[in-house]
Amino acid sequence: MTSGIEWLNALPPGDAERELRTCCASSAWVRRVTAARPFADYAALDRACDAAFTELGWPDIEEALRAHPRVGDRPRGLDRESSWSRSEQSGIIDSSRDAAHELHEGNVAYERRFGHVFLICATGLSAERMLAALRERLGNDPGTEREIVRAELLKITQLRLVKLLERP
């Protein structure tokens, strides 16, 4: 059995792009990481991921954000990204109706203020923790919030890269 890195390195460019897009939907990021292959190991892939992120402009980040559902919305698709999103947001499953409603209302207010979905690396977070972060971040200026979104997107992408390489 080949390692995840060997598998990723061996894919034709179009297939590698399709697989990497499930980790981050920024076309620029996908192209840069695909072009950086082959990777000697996971650390090399992680460095390429980080380097590609530093090159992304805000429109590239917005492109990636469009692939993320609202926090609290449960994607119904059978594709990998929907499955990962459901798993990442599992802390919402046991939340109260009030918390779910407040998350929805907070998402609407956030989108009105910033023009894109509220993004947080939800893995391991309760609905209450996500709601507290949402409320806190609503007070940010747009520049500060863009930096936080960029950092949260990078965390999500790094987690998804690990999942991608753990393929059966």
Side-chain angles (χ1 to χ4, degrees):
M1 185 164 128
T2 62
S3 74
I5 291 292
E6 291 169 330
W7 166 78
L8 183 59
N9 286 339
L11 291 174
D15 292 346
E17 287 181 0
R18 194 170 22 268
E19 295 291 343
L20 288 167
R21 188 171 303 284
T22 65
C23 299
C24 178
S26 163
S27 298
W29 180 85
V30 167
R31 283 191 307 272
R32 285 183 179 110
V33 175
T34 299
R37 295 177 314 147
F39 303 110
D41 52 25
Y42 179 78
L45 171 59
D46 192 46
R47 285 190 301 276
C49 171
D50 290 351
F53 252 85
T54 63
E55 298 295 320
L56 296 181
W58 185 248
D60 301 314
I61 299 293
E62 287 179 312
E63 178 187 19
L65 290 175
R66 287 191 289 274
H68 286 269
R70 281 181 172 166
V71 170
D73 287 358
R74 303 283 291 169
R76 306 214 188 288
L78 300 176
D79 59 283
R80 180 186 301 147
E81 293 147 293
S82 295
S83 174
W84 285 348
S85 186
R86 284 189 297 274
S87 173
E88 291 160 359
Q89 292 192 40
S90 63
I92 296 173
I93 292 172
D94 296 327
S95 66
S96 69
R97 283 182 175 251
D98 289 343
H101 177 73
E102 289 178 50
L103 271 170
H104 174 76
E105 293 300 314
N107 277 316
V108 170
Y110 182 95
E111 290 167 18
R112 237 183 267 129
R113 175 152 167 67
F114 295 110
H116 55 80
V117 296
F118 169 70
L119 189 75
I120 189 168
C121 184
T123 301
L125 298 180
S126 67
E128 291 73 20
R129 177 63 190 103
M130 288 182 253
L131 184 56
L134 173 59
R135 288 176 178 148
E136 180 181 323
R137 287 172 51 189
L138 272 168
N140 288 339
D141 64 86
T144 298
E145 189 56 22
R146 283 182 175 191
E147 290 307 310
I148 293 170
V149 167
R150 178 184 290 273
E152 293 296 311
L153 182 61
L154 178 58
K155 286 192 268 186
I156 293 166
T157 300
Q158 290 168 328
L159 288 171
R160 289 181 174 189
L161 277 171
V162 170
K163 291 176 189 176
L164 178 68
L165 297 179
E166 293 173 344
R167 66 183 208 357

